[in-house]
């Protein structure tokens, strides 16, 4: 099973800090990798059009943000950045390296999708 997960929180998705699952705002599950990848690509396009900053790790984990979306952390005594994150996972674990390479080397840009005009 594959999951396309969106999160909103004050850390990039690849850290998987304790309680990271509490930051999930949506989760779509697929039995087929290609369908999951298509969903990930559609949501990636949607988020990249709305948030000017982005950082990617391992090909299938991306954090999107705007510099203005920060909050003051009393405990840290500093402002923390909020991130809109998107991840494609296999059974709650990172995808195997072979699938990561396959996703990175397709050479295709994310396709236009109908989700682009919907509120996600």
């Amino acid at each position: 099973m594959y999951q396309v997960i969106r999160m909103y929180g004050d850390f990039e998705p690849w850290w998987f800090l304790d309680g990271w699952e509490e930051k999930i705002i949506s989760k779509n599950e697929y039995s087929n990798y290609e369908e999951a990848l298509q969903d990930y690509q559609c949501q990636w396009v949607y988020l990249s059009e709305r948030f000017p900053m982005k950082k990617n790790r391992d090909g299938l984990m991306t954090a999107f943000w705007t510099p203005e979306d920060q909050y003051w952390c009393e405990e840290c005594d500093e402002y923390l950045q909020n991130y809109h994150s998107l991840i494609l996972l296999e059974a709650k674990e990172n995808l195997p390296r072979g699938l990561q390479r396959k996703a990175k080397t397709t050479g295709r840009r994310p396709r236009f999708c109908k989700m682009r005009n919907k509120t996600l």
Side-chain angles (χ1 to χ4, degrees), residues 8-53:
Y8 180 73
D10 59 5
F11 56 87
E12 294 97 334
W14 42 85
W15 294 113
F16 292 103
L17 299 175
D18 287 339
W20 72 272
E21 291 173 311
E22 296 168 12
K23 304 294 184 178
I24 293 173
I25 58 174
S26 72
K27 179 178 7 177
N28 300 327
E29 297 183 348
Y30 301 92
S31 57
N32 179 292
Y33 172 75
E34 286 74 22
E35 290 175 359
L37 181 60
Q38 184 176 10
D39 181 19
Y40 177 90
Q41 291 172 332
C42 287
Q43 291 194 52
W44 189 97
V45 169
Y46 174 86
L47 292 167
S48 69
E49 290 175 345
R50 282 150 185 80
F51 302 101
M53 311 296 290

Side-chain angles (χ1 to χ4, degrees), residues 14 56-61 94-95 97 100-101 103-104:
W14 42 85
N56 185 285
R57 176 130 341 141
D58 295 332
L60 297 170
M61 288 188 251
N94 289 324
L95 287 170
R97 287 215 176 271
Q100 288 177 6
R101 268 186 257 112
K104 285 182 186 178

Side-chain angles (χ1 to χ4, degrees), residues 98-112:
L99 288 179
Q100 288 177 6
R101 268 186 257 112
K102 177 182 175 185
K104 285 182 186 178
T105 60
T106 59
R108 291 182 286 171
R109 298 185 68 184
R111 291 188 240 156
F112 173 79

